[in-house]
């Protein structure tokens, strides 16, 4: 029996995204909530940049799905408590390409495949999987790269404590122009200055968004 859908609403899309993100969170306790936080921070930055509403929504959905390729990474590597070997790192580095392929096969998500595939590209061209640089990387992917790294730094890991907001901002500043788009780092700094990123005592989540 086949059921045909005349249209998919934005609410439907978010429900699908939430389901996929939940499946990913189930693979690794330290990833729990990561995609949602990255999506909300990416949206806040896109709003601050006053991007068109359609692009804000595209970035929001792409950010939710940015790590979906980790579904294809063995649990033994994702959940390894100690330091990864270079071979294991090479396996982890496959997740943007895997994710881009996954979303590219789903018509309603095809428009965010650039964000999923390129969120680990670097502004200086030394990232992966395609070695893009500067404006060759889509704006959405550059925004998600900053949000992803900020959240990773401000979340507790088995091998280190969470960075505070100020410490994370300092690290982002150090990497501006090399790893990150300098203009997007400025947006993150502006949000911190405006106290829209605040420290929290939650052991797993060291900051929270403050949206007026």
């Amino acid at each position: 029996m086949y059921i045909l859908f005349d249209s998919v609403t934005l609410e439907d899309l978010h429900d699908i995204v939430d389901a996929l993100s939940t499946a990913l969170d189930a693979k690794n306790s330290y990833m729990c909530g990561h995609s949602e936080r990255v999506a909300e921070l990416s949206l806040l930055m896109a709003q601050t940049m006053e991007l068109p509403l359609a692009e804000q929504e595209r970035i929001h959905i792409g950010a939710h799905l940015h790590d979906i390729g980790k579904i294809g990474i063995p649990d033994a590597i994702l959940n390894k408590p100690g330091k990864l070997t270079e071979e294991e790192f090479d396996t982890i580095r496959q997740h943007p390409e895997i994710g881009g392929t996954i979303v590219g096969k789903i018509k309603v998500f095809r428009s965010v495949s650039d964000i999923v595939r390129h969120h680990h590209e670097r502004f200086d061209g030394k990232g992966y999987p395609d070695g893009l640089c500067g404006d060759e990387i889509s704006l959405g992917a550059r925004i998600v790269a900053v949000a992803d790294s900020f959240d990773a730094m401000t979340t507790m890991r088995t091998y280190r404590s969470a960075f505070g907001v100020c410490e994370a901002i300092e690290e982002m500043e150090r990497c501006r122009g090399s790893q990150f788009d300098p203009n997007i780092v400025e947006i993150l700094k502006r949000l911190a200055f405006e106290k829209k990123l605040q420290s929290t005592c939650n052991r797993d989540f060291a900051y929270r968004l403050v949206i007026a």
Side-chain angles (χ1 to χ4, degrees):
M1 177 180 178
Y2 296 91
I3 302 175
L4 300 180
F5 296 89
D6 292 330
S7 63
V8 178
T9 68
L10 190 57
E11 185 178 357
D12 292 333
L13 286 180
H14 280 289
D15 286 345
I16 296 169
V17 167
D18 285 343
L20 291 170
S21 298
T22 299
L24 183 59
D25 287 349
K27 285 177 67 72
N28 184 313
S29 61
Y30 282 94
M31 290 166 61
C32 189
H34 170 69
S35 293
E36 182 178 357
R37 294 192 301 271
V38 171
E40 292 307 310
L41 179 53
S42 295
L43 177 60
L44 182 57
M45 288 194 288
Q47 291 170 338
T48 303
M49 295 169 73
E50 299 183 346
L51 299 182
L53 291 178
E55 181 64 1
Q56 291 180 26
E57 195 60 49
R58 192 184 78 87
I59 290 169
H60 191 208
I61 291 174
H64 258 296
L65 295 173
H66 77 283
D67 269 346
I68 197 64
K70 287 182 178 177
I71 284 178
I73 304 300
D75 290 354
I77 295 178
L78 283 180
N79 295 313
K80 185 177 178 179
K83 186 177 180 180
L84 296 178
T85 66
E86 190 57 38
E87 183 177 348
E88 290 167 336
F89 268 123
D90 286 341
T91 300
I92 287 284
R93 292 186 187 106
Q94 293 173 18
H95 81 269
E97 190 169 1
I98 294 171
T101 299
I102 290 172
V103 299
K105 290 181 179 295
I106 307 171
K107 186 176 181 180
V108 293
F109 292 138
R110 206 165 289 159
S111 67
V112 304
S113 60
D114 61 298
I115 294 174
V116 176
R117 183 180 178 91
H118 294 143
H119 71 279
H120 277 295
E121 299 289 354
R122 288 172 52 110
F123 200 70
D124 60 8
K126 296 180 181 179
Y128 58 90
D130 297 318
L132 303 181
C133 67
D135 290 342
E136 293 176 347
I137 309 164
S138 69
L139 178 59
R142 281 179 272 148
I143 289 173
V144 173
V146 169
D148 182 31
S149 294
F150 179 80
D151 186 77
M153 281 189 279
T154 54
T155 304
M156 187 174 180
R157 294 290 187 264
T158 55
Y159 51 88
R160 62 157 174 79
S161 299
F163 286 21
V165 169
C166 291
E167 186 180 7
I169 292 292
E170 288 175 4
E171 181 64 15
M172 303 298 289
E173 178 69 20
R174 187 182 69 81
C175 296
R176 62 180 288 162
S178 55
Q179 185 171 353
F180 307 116
D181 182 331
N183 293 328
I184 298 173
V185 172
E186 281 301 312
I187 295 297
L188 186 71
K189 289 171 60 181
R190 174 180 163 185
L191 292 173
F193 179 77
E194 293 174 353
K195 299 189 184 303
K196 291 184 178 178
L197 308 175
Q198 292 190 359
S199 296
T200 176
C201 295
N202 187 310
R203 70 177 289 274
D204 296 320
F205 181 28
Y207 77 97
R208 64 185 177 92
L209 301 182
V210 181
I211 303 176

